[in-house]
């Protein structure tokens, strides 16, 4: 599948309508039977969405802070103990 085919497939509303139909045909009998499975699927989906959004929004800040802290600690260590370089 080329890039053009990929873009056409995922930009076509009928692709998403088919996915929703498949999902409805899967979940409808499960919901009617009173199963807890759809609730757990919703919990997992919500959790993954929240973790992903938090990482995308704030992950780089935490990584940069950690990197800066390590660089500062390494500079302090080298100032106290000297720097020999790589062996």
């Amino acid at each position: 599948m080329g890039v053009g085919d990929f873009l056409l497939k995922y930009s076509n509303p009928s692709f998403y309508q088919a996915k929703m139909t498949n999902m409805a045909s899967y979940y409808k009998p499960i919901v009617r039977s009173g199963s807890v499975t759809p609730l757990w699927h919703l919990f997992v989906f919500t959790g993954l969405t929240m973790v992903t959004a938090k990482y995308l929004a704030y992950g780089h800040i935490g990584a940069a802070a950690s990197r800066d802290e390590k660089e500062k600690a390494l500079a302090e260590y080298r100032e106290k103990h000297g720097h020999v370089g790589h062996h």
Side-chain angles (χ1 to χ4, degrees), residues 12 16 19 21-22 25 32 36-37 50 53 63 65 77-78 86:
N12 190 354
Y16 296 102
K19 290 292 183 186
T21 303
N22 290 343
S25 65
R32 288 190 179 195
V36 74
T37 302
M50 290 172 56
Y77 175 83
R78 287 181 177 161
H86 297 288

Side-chain angles (χ1 to χ4, degrees), residues 2-70:
V3 174
D5 294 336
F6 177 82
L7 291 175
L8 284 175
K9 178 180 176 182
Y10 286 101
S11 65
N12 190 354
S14 65
F15 172 76
Y16 296 102
Q17 288 172 343
K19 290 292 183 186
M20 289 300 290
T21 303
N22 290 343
M23 195 166 68
S25 65
Y26 173 75
Y27 280 109
K28 195 172 189 177
I30 295 174
V31 170
R32 288 190 179 195
S33 70
S35 175
V36 74
T37 302
L39 182 63
W40 286 108
H41 288 179
L42 181 64
F43 287 165
V44 170
F45 175 75
T46 304
L48 289 174
T49 303
M50 290 172 56
V51 167
T52 302
K54 182 179 177 184
Y55 178 77
L56 291 174
Y58 301 112
H60 63 284
I61 296 170
S66 175
R67 187 171 41 252
D68 291 344
E69 182 180 2
K70 288 176 187 174

